[in-house]
Amino acid sequence: QVQLVESGGGVVQPGRSLRLSCAASGFTFSSYGMHWVRQAPGKGLEWVALISYDGRNAFHADSVKGRFTISRENSKNTLYLQMNSLRAEDTAVYYCAKSARYAYLTSDYWGQGTLVTVSS
Amino acid sequence: DIQMTQSPSSLSASVGDRVTITCRASQGIGNYLAWYQQKPGKVPQVLIYDASTLQSGVPSRFSGSGSGTDFTLTISSLQPEDVATYYCQKYDSAPSTFGPGTKVDIK
């Protein structure tokens, strides 16, 4: 079955960097796009980024453009999110999600999430 | 970018009631809309995709309709396990924006 396990979250000071990872299993990772979605404490879902199956195309939300970069390593079945210049408003649970079999731009499986707290 | 709105933001209904949630896109998105359910403390799960297709394993009391800019999620007979926040998401083009959510609880 599909498994997505995020790691790399933690407490980080404003302006610093953090890299999240998502280990995928149970499906052919190199055949599917992958997403990052976040949820601030007590708030709604915010789509963050998407990368194509081969890593050639990536899209980022305006709120993170120029600061965050999505990437992937298909040989390791791993998705990444490099987060630079972190702000307090980036505090959230970050979920990785697999592109749906029926549509590249949405998701059908999500990981359990990893919490990122940006605080001095 | 296309904006997504939902109404109401919250509702309280009795077990067995019919519940309807509305999602509206600021521009037409065809039928490229999904509905997610997020139970308290849990990961979101997809209920419906392509506006009206029920995801495998989802109870048939859930249904979706609409196209273009106006969409609805209906729970035909509300059950205690349906207490959750429901989100719509557009996926016609990036960004794949979510609606702000509708919190459903039992009266």
Side-chain angles (χ1 to χ4, degrees), chain A residues 1 4 8 19 22 25-26 46 53 59 62 67 73 82 84 96-97 101 110 113 119:
Chain A
Q1 72 280 21
L4 300 166
R19 189 177 81 157
C22 172
S25 61
E46 181 185 12
Y53 69 98
F59 304 90
D62 286 347
R67 299 188 300 122
E73 198 162 354
Q82 178 67 42
N84 299 333
C96 76
R101 67 189 185 286
W110 296 47
S119 173

Side-chain angles (χ1 to χ4, degrees), chain B residues 1 3 8 12-13 17 32 34 39-40 43 49 55 61 63-64 81 83 85 92 97 101:
Chain B
D1 291 346
Q3 304 303 313
S12 187
D17 281 355
Y32 296 105
K39 296 183 179 181
V43 177
Y49 61 92
Q55 174 74 321
R61 63 180 179 274
S63 64
E81 60 266 33
V83 168
T85 301
D92 63 312
T97 307

Side-chain angles (χ1 to χ4, degrees), chain A residues 52-104:
Chain A
S52 61
Y53 69 98
D54 58 1
R56 291 187 179 184
N57 296 292
F59 304 90
H60 298 82
D62 286 347
S63 58
V64 306
K65 205 170 287 183
R67 299 188 300 122
F68 290 12
T69 303
I70 189 172
S71 64
R72 64 191 297 160
E73 198 162 354
N74 284 348
S75 63
K76 294 185 177 180
N77 285 358
T78 303
L79 176 73
Y80 302 102
L81 186 66
Q82 178 67 42
M83 304 186 294
N84 299 333
S85 303
L86 282 160
R87 306 167 179 167
E89 54 265 36
D90 296 319
T91 293
V93 173
Y94 285 75
Y95 297 101
C96 76
K98 168 190 163 291
S99 281
R101 67 189 185 286
Y102 42 81
Y104 164 62

Side-chain angles (χ1 to χ4, degrees), chain B residues 8-84:
Chain B
S9 57
S10 66
L11 67 89
S12 187
S14 299
V15 172
D17 281 355
R18 183 181 185 87
V19 168
T20 299
I21 299 168
T22 297
C23 174
R24 179 162 290 169
S26 60
Q27 297 175 41
I29 59 170
N31 68 336
Y32 296 105
L33 187 99
W35 288 97
Y36 289 87
Q37 176 193 63
Q38 186 178 31
K39 296 183 179 181
K42 300 296 185 182
V43 177
Q45 307 266 340
V46 61
L47 296 174
I48 286 167
Y49 61 92
D50 292 348
S52 61
T53 302
L54 204 63
Q55 174 74 321
S56 175
V58 173
S60 59
R61 63 180 179 274
F62 292 93
S63 64
S65 65
S67 67
T69 59
D70 295 313
F71 303 87
T72 58
L73 172 69
T74 300
I75 308 173
S76 61
S77 176
L78 187 68
Q79 299 302 304
E81 60 266 33
D82 300 335
V83 168

